């Protein structure tokens, strides 16, 4: 990979420059090519090199794949065919509201294969605030973002025609060319999960005159020179500039109207006459955020990994609201197709992100989190259901009803911007019905879950996984009801939050699938994937009792047996029985490649597991495993993730773990302590308060906490409260290379569990 240039220069020229980098341009550490060496059969992240602002409505990316290909950028590719407006949170669901621009020199070629230009990663810079590539044909493309647009610059070689091709992607689109104004407007309508009538309106302003212009369509690749307007499937435009031109393009988009796109263009880009001004503003935005999560000491490699992950932890959810001419927020709803006042957010699968990405937001972005919680309730009114995976409308992807986790976690942590009764009413509807979309829209198997105490198989595939996650979600409903004095919902959800116990088989020692009759499924094999388990096997789903780890310990026979089972995850062979999947899927391959037994960090169900040693009296094993996973499975390269990055979840796991704590049970105010990567980390809250994690004698070998103080007081606990962090203070850790086996083992030092008094 190409190392971020700032710290590469520092390594070549001396240490003082690195110190300056830490305080001035932390963004240089973030490599947006992290995780891009991915394909259908094997994911190293399934990412694309997004250039965007934090949670921006649109991002931009180079495009190596064909229009409509979920793998829009693959590191192994040698050509680029366009630069897209993107929103994609997973290659498995494609993208929406896409159009692209591609510079061409010499003969005009509009076909996406023919116009593709060769490049080398040595001639590519991929940062959050800036993307640049120089093709073998000497054209240079540069991109820098705003929240709802971008500033692009195309530099063409001299003495050769300079063309720019606008591609309308793979659905109905329209364009209008205004040569006298150096402007193009238009719309695209592509997307799978969009309401009827959905349009993304765009406007482009150029700083160079058009010598030639026309329209084309990408179905038959027919061109119409001189034609200034077109509409149809894949309708686009082309423009010619003088040879050797350096062309700046300002782009903005709106889901509301063409007029709003013009308002946004003026609002976000009107004050920047030069590309460098927009780039400086984008750099300032990211540096301000990165300096709020400041790590010091440690290796350059670890800093690159940390800030690359911090970048992706702050991409999703995308803002789906815009500002009108008065500066007031409003939005086109992806659920009912109407325009509403207020805030909306989309492009997030809560099954992935409830675990770490949203808990991280409660610390770093509480204002946004508060707006998000109200937006969830607005979305529920407009859709009839809570979004489970919005893209931008409801897809119902995966399993569980984790909107209640987000809402309860916010409430517990003092973010109280919504009506809890309204939230509980909406969750009750969610939990007692099955919606029309996907496994997570409403509750698959809900009747059996309440009548039998578990979801049965084969009536519902993924049944054991569903029971475990429903029980956790019901705990969140119970918790919100308890905190807000709602006796009815406290009773309703209090009855079912222990349903996880009905999936545990004491004979085999695993969570197992059950039939309607109550019998266990025959021919049990803990290595077999699928069936009653979603994207995993019994080894992975054993641990999904976030809210009652002590109850799980009790089921499994006490601390010693629980620890033995945890240890066995790593000592078991990394073999796979493909089971109901009938073939190897990428999650299986990634687990095998990790060579950590049955620990499958490349997918969500087991990511919290290493923190559970804290609940059973051996916190030092959490410390060792956390550091090992971070060192072995993450880096800042194109191979930087051990599986799908998943809308910031895998990145947020790393960020929180590198800071020294993790959110095992969102919906409580506790974070479970691990082992920080850096000698010092400073979190600056929105209100300016600072929380410092200082790890003395920290190194790659000294991963074990020997002693701890919080604000000068001895801290034997294996947890921190949310208030301990956001109110500011210092957690001081003394680190060593051997476990401190007498620390953190008392009952009062263990994190929250329902079954612990």
């Amino acid at each position: 990979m190409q190392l971020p240039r700032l710290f590469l220069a520092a390594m070549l020229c001396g240490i003082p420059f690195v110190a300056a980098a830490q305080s001035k341009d932390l963004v240089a550490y973030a490599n947006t090519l992290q995780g891009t060496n991915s394909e259908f059969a094997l994911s190293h992240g399934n990412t694309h090199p997004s250039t965007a602002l934090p949670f921006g409505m649109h991002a931009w990316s180079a495009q190596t794949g064909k229009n409509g290909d979920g793998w829009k950028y693959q590191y192994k590719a040698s050509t680029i065919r366009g630069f897209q407006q993107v929103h994609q949170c997973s290659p498995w669901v494609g993208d929406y509201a896409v159009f692209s621009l591609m510079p061409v020199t010499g003969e005009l070629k509009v076909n996406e294969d023919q116009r593709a230009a060769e490049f080398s990663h040595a001639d590519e810079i991929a940062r959050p605030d800036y993307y640049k590539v120089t093709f073998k044909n000497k054209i240079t493309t540069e991109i820098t973002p705003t929240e709802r647009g971008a500033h692009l610059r195309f530099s063409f070689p001299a003495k050769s025609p300079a063309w720019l091709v606008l591609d309308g992607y793979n659905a109905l689109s329209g364009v209008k060319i205004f040569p006298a104004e150096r402007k193009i407007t238009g719309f695209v309508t592509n997307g799978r999960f969009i309401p009827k009538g959905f349009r993304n309106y765009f406007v482009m302003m150029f700083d160079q005159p058009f010598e030639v212009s026309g329209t084309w369509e990408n179905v038959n690749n027919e061109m119409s020179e001189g034609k200034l307007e077109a509409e149809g499937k894949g309708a686009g435009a082309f423009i010619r500039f003088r040879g050797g031109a350096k062309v700046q393009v300002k782009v903005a988009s709106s889901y509301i109207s063409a007029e709003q796109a013009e308002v946004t263009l003026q609002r976000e880009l009107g004050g920047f006459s030069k590309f460098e001004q927009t780039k400086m503003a984008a750099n300032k935005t990211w540096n301000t955020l990165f300096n709020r999560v400041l790590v010091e000491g440690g290796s350059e490699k670890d800093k690159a990994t940390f800030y690359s992950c911090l970048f992706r932890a702050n991409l999703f959810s995308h803002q789906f609201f815009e500002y009108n001419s008065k500066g007031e927020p409003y939005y086109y709803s992806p659920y009912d197709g109407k325009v509403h006042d207020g805030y909306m957010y989309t492009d997030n699968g809560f099954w992935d992100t409830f675990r770490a990405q949203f808990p991280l937001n409660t610390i770093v972005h509480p204002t946004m989190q508060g707006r998000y919680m109200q937006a969830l309730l607005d979305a529920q009114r407009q859709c009839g259901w809570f979004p489970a995976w919005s893209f931008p409308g409801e897809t119902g992807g995966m399993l569980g009803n984790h909107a209640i986790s987000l809402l309860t976690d916010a409430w517990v942590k003092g973010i109280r911007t919504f009506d809890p009764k309204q939230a509980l009413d909406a969750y009750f509807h969610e939990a007692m019905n099955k919606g029309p979309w996907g496994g997570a829209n409403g509750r698959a198997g809900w009747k059996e879950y309440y009548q039998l105490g578990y979801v049965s198989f084969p009536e519902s595939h993924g049944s054991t996984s569903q029971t475990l996650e429903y029980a956790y979600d019901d705990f969140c409903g119970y918790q919100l009801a308890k905190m807000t004095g709602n006796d009815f919902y406290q009773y309703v959800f209090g009855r079912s939050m222990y349903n996880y116990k009905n999936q545990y088989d004491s004979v085999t020692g695993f969570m197992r699938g059950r039939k309607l009759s109550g019998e266990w499924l025959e021919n049990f094999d803990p290595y077999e994937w699928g069936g009653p388990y979603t994207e995993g096997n019994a080894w992975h789903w054993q641990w999904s009792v976030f809210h009652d780890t002590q109850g799980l310990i009790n089921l499994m026979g006490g601390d010693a047996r629980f620890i033995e089972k945890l240890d066995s995850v790593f000592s078991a062979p990394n073999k796979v029985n493909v089971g109901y999947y009938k073939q190897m899927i990428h999650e299986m391959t990634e687990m095998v490649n990790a060579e950590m037994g049955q620990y499958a960090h490349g997918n969500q169900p087991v990511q919290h597991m290493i923190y559970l040693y804290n609940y059973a009296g051996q916190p030092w094993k959490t410390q060792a495993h956390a550091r090992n996973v971070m060192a072995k499975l993450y880096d800042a390269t194109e191979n930087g993730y051990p599986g799908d990055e998943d809308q910031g979840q895998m990145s947020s796991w790393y960020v929180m773990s590198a800071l020294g704590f993790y959110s095992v049970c969102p919906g409580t105010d506790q974070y479970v302590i691990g082992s920080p990567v850096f000698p010092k980390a400073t979190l600056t809250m929105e209100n300016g308060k600072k929380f410092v994690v200082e790890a003395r004698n920290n190194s790659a070998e000294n991963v074990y906490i020997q002693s701890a103080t919080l604000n000068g007081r001895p801290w034997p606990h294996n947890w921190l409260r949310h208030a301990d962090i956001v109110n500011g203070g210092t957690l001081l850790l003394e680190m060593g290379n051997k476990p401190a086996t007498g620390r953190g083992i008392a009952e009062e030092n263990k994190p929250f569990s329902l079954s612990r008094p």
Side-chain angles (χ1 to χ4, degrees):
M1 65 162 283
Q2 181 183 13
L3 290 171
R5 290 188 174 183
L6 187 62
F7 75 83
L8 176 61
M11 288 188 283
L12 294 174
C13 302
I15 297 301
F17 192 67
V18 176
Q22 287 183 319
S23 61
K24 292 184 179 178
D25 194 17
L26 296 175
V27 184
Y29 282 105
N31 177 29
T32 67
L33 295 175
Q34 182 187 28
T36 57
N37 189 25
S38 300
E39 57 189 7
F40 179 88
L42 180 63
S43 173
H44 286 293
N46 271 338
T47 60
H48 47 83
S50 301
T51 303
L53 291 190
F55 311 107
M57 192 166 86
H58 310 304
W60 282 76
S61 173
Q63 173 195 1
T64 65
K66 287 182 175 291
N67 286 348
D69 188 350
W71 285 264
K72 61 173 67 260
Y73 181 101
Q74 291 182 298
Y75 193 83
K76 64 183 179 182
S78 59
T79 62
I80 289 173
R81 65 186 66 219
F83 300 92
Q84 294 184 339
Q85 177 180 272
V86 298
H87 312 88
Q88 181 171 290
C89 51
S90 169
W92 308 107
V93 293
D95 206 343
Y96 70 91
V98 179
F99 57 89
S100 67
L101 293 170
M102 182 62 188
V104 176
T105 188
E107 179 186 355
L108 174 61
K109 296 175 182 178
V110 293
N111 176 279
E112 62 171 320
D113 294 319
Q114 295 174 358
R115 73 185 187 229
E118 287 188 72
F119 78 108
S120 166
H121 294 299
D123 299 317
E124 187 180 37
I125 298 172
R127 296 167 38 127
D129 59 339
Y130 178 61
Y131 178 88
K132 178 182 179 181
V133 64
T134 298
F135 295 124
K136 295 292 177 65
N137 64 18
K138 305 304 181 184
I139 296 176
T140 295
T141 297
E142 300 168 274
I143 309 172
T144 192
T146 68
E147 287 186 335
R148 296 162 189 82
H151 203 151
L152 299 91
R153 182 163 62 192
F154 302 99
S155 300
F156 293 91
K159 300 180 181 179
S160 182
W163 299 93
L164 191 63
V165 177
L166 166 61
D167 193 322
Y169 210 55
N170 59 4
L172 175 68
S173 59
V175 292
K176 290 183 180 181
I177 305 170
F178 302 88
E181 300 177 51
R182 302 175 182 175
K183 181 171 80 170
I184 298 177
T185 64
F187 67 88
V188 291
T189 63
N190 52 82
R192 288 172 59 192
F193 304 101
I194 53 176
K196 186 178 181 180
F198 170 84
R199 288 191 174 192
N200 176 235
Y201 301 91
F202 60 80
V203 56
M204 303 178 181
M205 294 295 298
F206 299 81
D207 72 337
Q208 297 295 318
F210 306 167
E211 290 188 347
V212 174
S213 59
T215 64
W216 70 290
E217 47 77 31
N218 62 24
V219 177
N220 300 306
N221 297 302
E222 293 182 355
M223 295 181 283
S224 301
E225 184 175 324
K227 187 179 179 182
L228 301 182
E229 185 173 346
E231 187 172 312
K233 185 176 181 181
F238 58 86
I239 313 164
R240 194 184 77 197
F241 305 95
R242 62 175 176 79
K246 183 175 287 189
V247 182
Q248 293 188 65
V249 190
K250 297 179 182 179
V251 185
S253 291
S254 169
Y255 300 122
I256 296 173
S257 67
E259 293 75 18
Q260 178 58 45
E262 299 266 9
V263 170
T264 298
L265 183 75
Q266 184 59 36
R267 183 177 184 274
E268 295 190 358
L269 287 152
F272 303 134
S273 60
K274 297 182 179 179
F275 179 89
E276 284 75 12
Q277 294 173 306
T278 314
K279 180 183 172 185
M280 286 177 61
N283 178 268
K284 181 180 179 181
T285 297
W286 278 112
N287 260 312
T288 299
L289 174 57
F290 283 9
N291 275 283
R292 288 185 55 213
V293 192
L294 178 66
V295 295
E296 300 175 70
S299 69
E300 296 297 284
K301 179 177 179 290
D302 286 339
K303 290 196 191 83
T305 305
F306 182 84
Y307 284 110
S308 296
C309 285
L310 186 61
F311 159 69
R312 293 215 174 267
N314 287 275
L315 279 184
F316 300 97
S317 300
H318 290 141
Q319 299 173 22
F320 209 76
F321 60 90
E322 306 169 46
Y323 293 99
N324 64 20
S325 58
K326 298 179 181 178
E328 301 163 335
Y330 72 141
Y331 62 91
Y332 169 89
S333 170
Y335 305 107
D336 67 8
K338 300 176 181 177
V339 176
H340 303 267
D341 293 330
Y343 300 94
M344 184 53 63
Y345 300 84
T346 56
D347 304 343
N348 202 299
F350 297 158
W351 182 76
D352 302 298
T353 54
F354 85 86
R355 305 162 195 268
Q357 201 259 346
F358 278 97
L360 181 60
N361 285 346
T362 65
I363 299 171
V364 181
H365 305 291
T367 299
M368 182 187 74
Q369 192 80 340
R371 292 170 177 170
Y372 204 120
M373 297 308 101
Q374 182 56 52
L376 272 179
L377 295 177
D378 292 340
Q380 195 275 340
R381 281 197 301 266
Q382 294 157 19
C383 178
W385 306 86
F386 275 129
W389 187 340
S390 55
F391 188 63
E394 169 64 333
T395 74
M398 299 309 295
L399 66 153
N401 310 112
H402 299 311
I404 192 62
S405 172
L406 276 57
L407 290 156
T408 302
D409 197 48
W411 192 273
V412 166
K413 294 171 180 176
I415 301 171
R416 300 179 176 180
T417 55
F418 60 94
D419 179 354
K421 173 63 161 54
Q422 182 186 352
L424 288 165
D425 286 344
Y427 176 61
F428 182 76
H429 172 261
E430 198 87 5
M432 301 293 175
N433 294 279
K434 175 65 188 81
W437 311 289
N441 181 230
R443 184 167 278 186
W446 67 272
K447 289 183 180 179
E448 291 81 7
Y449 175 76
Y450 290 110
Q451 291 173 354
L452 304 175
Y454 61 90
V455 181
S456 60
F457 187 86
E459 287 72 23
S460 185
H461 279 251
S463 57
T464 300
S465 304
Q466 289 164 339
T467 299
L468 296 174
E469 299 218 348
Y470 295 168
Y472 162 70
D473 288 332
D474 286 349
F475 159 75
C476 291
Y478 164 85
Q479 180 87 325
L480 183 58
K482 182 179 179 181
M483 292 192 68
T484 57
N486 191 314
D487 294 338
F488 173 73
Y489 286 125
Q490 187 177 340
Y491 170 74
V492 168
F493 299 123
R495 292 185 305 166
S496 51
M497 63 185 176
Y498 293 103
N499 277 357
Y500 69 88
K501 296 180 180 182
N502 299 322
Q503 298 281 190
Y504 182 72
D505 173 22
S506 60
V507 176
T508 62
F510 283 99
M511 297 287 181
R512 286 186 60 183
R514 298 182 75 169
K515 302 178 183 179
L516 271 174
S517 64
E519 296 175 302
W520 301 112
L521 294 180
E522 301 90 348
N523 304 317
F524 174 68
D525 178 1
Y527 297 93
E528 182 177 10
W529 285 57
Y533 308 106
T534 298
E535 293 185 357
N537 62 26
W539 284 105
H540 310 145
W541 282 98
Q542 179 74 4
W543 316 103
S544 292
V545 188
F546 315 102
H547 57 298
D548 196 16
T549 302
Q550 185 60 53
L552 180 60
I553 291 171
N554 297 343
L555 281 179
M556 294 173 65
D559 286 351
R561 290 189 177 182
F562 185 77
I563 292 288
E564 182 182 6
K565 195 76 160 193
L566 285 170
D567 290 343
S568 296
V569 172
F570 296 99
S571 62
N574 61 340
K575 69 179 183 179
V576 170
N577 177 344
V578 298
Y580 285 79
Y581 286 98
K582 307 297 184 185
Q583 62 181 359
M584 290 287 287
I585 60 174
H586 75 90
E587 288 90 351
M588 299 173 187
T589 304
E590 289 142 18
M591 185 201 76
V592 172
N593 290 351
E595 296 184 334
M596 299 179 77
Q598 287 293 309
Y599 182 70
H601 190 84
N603 209 13
Q604 277 64 43
V606 78
Q607 286 178 353
H608 68 293
M609 176 226 125
I610 59 177
Y611 284 90
L612 300 186
Y613 288 101
N614 285 290
Y615 296 74
Q618 294 192 10
W620 56 89
K621 289 186 177 178
T622 286
Q623 295 156 26
H625 283 302
R627 292 290 285 273
N628 185 43
V629 169
M630 285 186 280
K632 184 176 181 180
L633 300 185
Y634 288 81
D635 60 46
T637 74
E638 64 277 5
N639 299 316
Y641 295 105
D644 283 354
E645 199 282 326
D646 286 328
Q647 306 109 61
Q649 165 57 26
M650 195 171 285
S651 292
S652 297
W653 185 96
Y654 182 90
V655 168
M656 295 186 79
S657 295
L659 293 172
F661 50 87
Y662 185 71
S663 50
V664 170
C665 186
T668 71
D669 69 345
Q670 289 187 1
Y671 304 91
V672 180
I673 293 175
S675 177
V677 169
F678 299 95
K680 186 177 182 182
T682 304
L683 276 164
T684 302
M685 308 303 139
E686 282 185 341
N687 61 10
K689 293 182 178 179
K690 297 180 184 296
F691 181 73
V692 178
V693 179
E694 186 173 350
R696 292 178 178 171
N697 303 312
N698 199 7
S699 69
E701 296 75 32
N702 294 353
V703 303
Y704 297 105
I705 298 172
Q706 307 297 300
S707 64
T709 61
L710 180 64
N711 300 329
R713 296 179 290 110
W715 194 255
H717 307 304
N718 301 324
W719 45 267
L720 292 168
R721 289 177 294 254
H722 183 75
D724 296 328
I725 297 173
V726 298
N727 290 338
T730 299
L731 177 67
L732 178 60
L733 308 173
E734 296 289 345
M735 309 298 291
N737 61 4
K738 295 180 180 179
T741 57
R743 182 189 173 277
I745 60 176
E747 283 298 308
E748 63 269 21
N749 297 331
K750 298 177 180 179
F752 168 85
S753 287
L754 266 177
S755 294
R756 182 175 295 117

